[in-house]
Amino acid sequence: MGIYVVWAGTYCKYDADWFREQVSEYCDEVLITDDHGEIGDAIAKRSVGIARVEPSAIFGTQMERHVGKRLDIPCGVIAAPIHVQNFPIGYKPFMGLE
């Protein structure tokens, strides 16, 4: 599509090795964390500074949409917010904490 990808990331730390293997050839950096603040900081750091890339767009979750609004960067939400969907977030029945 001709899009230059600065970095790709995921909140799914348990899929870190697989994710890194799948996307590393398509981007400069891979960020794997479950800290929304770290993602927001990484986006903000890329959008300021002399030798930094000014992002044209963000593709991410609802959390990145808020970062995009704050930094005036358009955001395409590519992950449905689980809390408003009508399906279980687990693949098997469980009781208590999984």
Side-chain angles (χ1 to χ4, degrees):
M1 292 176 49
I3 297 173
Y4 175 73
V5 179
V6 176
W7 60 264
T10 182
Y11 293 113
C12 300
K13 291 170 72 174
Y14 57 86
D15 280 335
D17 294 334
W18 174 84
F19 185 82
R20 192 174 283 108
E21 176 186 313
Q22 297 298 311
V23 303
S24 61
E25 68 180 277
Y26 303 110
C27 60
D28 293 343
E29 295 178 50
V30 176
L31 180 59
I32 300 168
T33 181
D34 57 4
D35 181 353
H36 300 288
E38 186 176 352
I39 298 292
D41 291 345
I43 294 170
K45 287 177 186 171
R46 282 295 187 170
S47 65
V48 296
I50 295 172
R52 305 256 181 203
V53 174
E54 177 72 31
S56 300
I58 301 167
F59 297 96
T61 69
Q62 293 292 325
M63 299 305 292
E64 288 78 42
R65 182 176 62 87
H66 297 295
V67 174
K69 277 186 173 182
R70 182 170 39 95
L71 298 173
D72 198 27
I73 301 170
C75 180
V77 177
I78 59 173
I82 297 296
H83 65 280
V84 299
Q85 298 299 321
N86 189 20
F87 60 88
I89 58 175
Y91 296 105
K92 60 188 179 294
F94 63 91
M95 179 185 221
L97 299 175
E98 183 178 40

